[in-house]
Amino acid sequence: MIIHSAALAAAFLALGACQQKAEAPAAPATPVAEVVSGSTGVDQAVACMAYLALKQTALEAQTPPGDVTAVRAALNDWEGLALKSMTPDEVAQYYASSVAVEDDASPEKMEVTSAWCLANKPAAS
């Protein structure tokens, strides 16, 4: 009986420790990437293009695939803004390097940043 009581006490202590860890406050939400919200013009446009491309890829990878209509439209609007300041080749090179840099962004950062880019897209060009 003492062995059972000791095992039961140990189980309660372990359960209490797990519950305390599970009840720890959640980490704050990932803030919008500074390169997007803190920049302007072509830098902001190309950063949004990169995050929206990542979002589009994530949506297309879902089963069934998610609707990418709004994401594609916003990506096109941001590209139109970038093309006001750069040539198509310059935008393509900047975009490719931005996607390469942001490709390893956390899913949370991608979600928050792409949502910001969708909500703040420029007027269609």
Side-chain angles (χ1 to χ4, degrees), residues 31-39 109:
V32 175
E34 235 178 76
V35 69
V36 174
S37 65
S39 61
K109 182 177 179 182

Side-chain angles (χ1 to χ4, degrees), residues 46 49 86-101:
V46 174
M49 289 170 59
M86 299 175 83
T87 68
D89 286 343
E90 291 170 328
V91 170
Q93 290 172 357
Y94 193 1
Y95 168 76
S97 66
S98 295
V99 170
V101 168

Side-chain angles (χ1 to χ4, degrees), residues 28-104:
T30 305
V32 175
E34 235 178 76
V35 69
V36 174
S37 65
S39 61
T40 58
V42 73
D43 294 328
Q44 186 178 63
V46 174
C48 278
M49 289 170 59
Y51 276 99
L52 290 168
L54 294 172
K55 175 67 175 174
Q56 179 176 328
T57 300
L59 286 170
E60 291 171 341
Q62 293 176 357
T63 306
D67 184 7
V68 296
T69 306
V71 175
R72 283 186 184 150
L75 203 156
N76 288 337
D77 292 343
W78 283 110
E79 182 178 19
L81 181 63
L83 288 169
K84 289 180 180 179
S85 301
M86 299 175 83
T87 68
D89 286 343
E90 291 170 328
V91 170
Q93 290 172 357
Y94 193 1
Y95 168 76
S97 66
S98 295
V99 170
V101 168
E102 299 301 341
D103 191 40
D104 64 349

